[in-house]
Amino acid sequence: MIEFRIDRRSGVSTYMQIVQQVKQAMRLGLLHPGDRLPSAREVVEATAVNPNTVLKAYRELEREGLVEARRGLGTFVTKSLSSEATIGDDAPLRQELTGWMGRAQQGGLLVEDVDALYSAVRDEHYPAEERA
């Protein structure tokens, strides 16, 4: 089951953080078609966010065709966003990234440094118009 982590200082709206975390779990193969998302009540209990915020996030995911709400049953994943390159701890790209992260940490980089470096390199390879 997915466990949401809300960062109230991130500048990203709470509902978008939920949307992003569901998509990330789908990309990493943690959520598969047919899996049920936590109920709004479960998310509220775990994160102390407003139930309407959770429902807004789930509606956005439904609008994007990634989940389906079934009355009285919950909200279920309908698509997969994962690829062979990202699934599992033994995926080659994941292993390379894990090694790189270890070297970055040993080199004294802070998480903010890693984020900035990643974003700069990502933007070189994936221009903004390709990420829209």
Side-chain angles (χ1 to χ4, degrees):
M1 172 133 341
I2 188 170
E3 209 173 288
F4 295 106
R5 300 201 190 302
I6 304 302
D7 181 355
R8 301 188 194 298
R9 296 171 289 158
S10 72
V12 177
S13 66
T14 303
Y15 95 94
M16 277 308 299
Q17 289 183 52
I18 293 170
V19 169
Q20 291 168 350
Q21 290 176 38
V22 168
K23 287 180 178 181
Q24 181 179 17
M26 292 172 73
R27 282 188 181 90
L28 294 174
L30 302 173
L31 286 174
H32 303 94
D35 287 349
R36 185 179 74 79
L37 296 181
S39 69
R41 176 183 289 164
E42 291 168 328
V43 177
V44 168
E45 289 172 1
T47 62
V49 299
N50 185 300
N52 290 326
T53 301
V54 179
L55 295 173
K56 182 177 180 179
Y58 284 10
R59 281 192 306 272
E60 175 64 20
L61 290 163
E62 190 170 21
R63 187 190 66 73
E64 293 182 26
L66 300 174
V67 301
E68 173 185 61
R70 299 180 192 156
R71 186 176 294 284
L73 296 175
T75 303
F76 294 84
V77 175
T78 58
K79 290 190 176 181
S80 174
L81 295 179
S82 65
S83 71
E84 292 302 316
T86 58
I87 296 176
D89 293 338
D90 60 345
L93 285 176
R94 186 182 182 104
Q95 288 180 348
E96 287 180 43
L97 184 57
T98 297
W100 183 88
M101 285 290 181
R103 290 189 303 279
Q105 191 175 34
Q106 289 172 351
L109 270 68
L110 301 173
V111 70
E112 293 85 1
D113 301 328
V114 170
D115 289 345
L117 182 55
Y118 164 78
S119 295
V121 173
R122 180 201 60 208
D123 292 349
E124 289 172 13
H125 291 273
Y126 295 95
E129 59 272 5
E130 290 181 19
R131 291 184 277 130

